[in-house]
Amino acid sequence: MPVSLGTAGQEAAGQSPLQQGLELLARGDCPGAVASFTRAKQLEPGNPQIHLALGLASTCLRDLGAAKAEYLAALEARPDYASAHNAMGLLLLKAGDIEQASTHFQNAVRFDATYAEARTNIAYALCAQGIAGGAVKECQTALAQTSDYPFLREVAATASILSGDLVGGSEHLRQLQRQSVATATALVDLTPGSLAAGKATAAPPV
């Protein structure tokens, strides 16, 4: 069971509510994280990092309405916030709006061309639309930009197989089997530095 570090108003010495919320979220204490992020928002209204973090915590609680509102607030405060575009895309993908999700994923890589996780999500959305060739290209770019991880290999395998490249698909699956960690259904980097850089990411479930 995750160990709670306390609730909002009980920050450890030297910790901001945002930092504490990130620790709570990393430990799986989503209600505690929401409480800390809410306190952080009260102290710094309009801070896009806090809006994004609160949106991610709300998503953890499956409060998608609250999450959407926070992502929109983050993008209003910082329209070029790549991570918020990626998070909004994932939420829209979950809701079945692939077209709008793709737009946000495209915005994420437009504002940060090195954002491999968002590029993987573009490929995922393209696979869902049956656009295999485009998905293969996005996966190739993502593989060149980041260290390997399971969700990328899954999408790459799917894209290759859909495009008729069974050999390539099989190779991606072999690479996936070699990886020691279980397939990730959510790849999240929630460190303060990643939020500032627009790199808090999550991959959609397969």
Side-chain angles (χ1 to χ4, degrees):
M1 292 291 290
V3 178
S4 173
L5 299 182
T7 58
Q10 296 177 312
E11 293 83 21
Q15 274 194 325
S16 70
L18 175 59
Q19 290 171 326
Q20 187 189 39
L22 293 173
E23 288 193 7
L24 291 168
L25 190 56
R27 293 171 182 267
D29 184 353
C30 298
V34 167
S36 287
F37 293 144
T38 299
R39 175 171 168 79
K41 186 169 72 168
Q42 292 169 346
L43 295 172
E44 297 183 66
N47 184 319
Q49 297 177 37
I50 293 171
H51 284 299
L52 174 58
L54 185 51
L56 292 170
S58 297
T59 299
C60 176
L61 292 176
R62 299 185 180 181
D63 188 349
L64 301 187
K68 183 175 183 179
E70 295 300 334
Y71 296 152
L72 288 172
L75 290 170
E76 182 178 358
R78 182 177 161 189
D80 65 346
Y81 200 176
S83 185
H85 279 292
N86 187 59
M88 179 64 82
L90 290 169
L91 187 148
L92 291 168
L93 197 63
K94 186 182 290 289
D97 191 344
I98 298 175
E99 184 175 347
Q100 285 300 311
S102 297
T103 297
H104 281 284
F105 295 144
Q106 292 284 357
N107 282 337
V109 299
R110 179 163 64 92
F111 292 123
D112 183 353
T114 67
Y115 201 164
E117 290 85 355
R119 199 172 293 279
T120 304
N121 292 336
I122 293 173
Y124 180 92
L126 288 171
C127 284
Q129 297 174 85
I131 308 175
V136 168
K137 290 180 180 178
E138 296 294 347
C139 288
Q140 289 172 340
T141 302
L143 283 166
Q145 291 178 329
T146 188
S147 56
D148 206 356
Y149 62 91
F151 182 69
L152 173 54
R153 282 293 177 180
E154 285 196 5
V155 176
T158 300
S160 295
I161 291 169
L162 287 176
S163 69
D165 182 6
L166 299 183
V167 174
S170 296
E171 177 58 28
H172 286 303
L173 290 174
R174 279 194 292 270
Q175 293 293 333
L176 179 62
Q177 290 175 343
R178 292 190 186 109
Q179 293 172 349
S180 60
V181 295
T183 298
T185 58
L187 301 173
V188 181
D189 180 357
L190 292 172
T191 62
S194 71
L195 285 171
K199 293 290 189 177
T201 60
V206 179

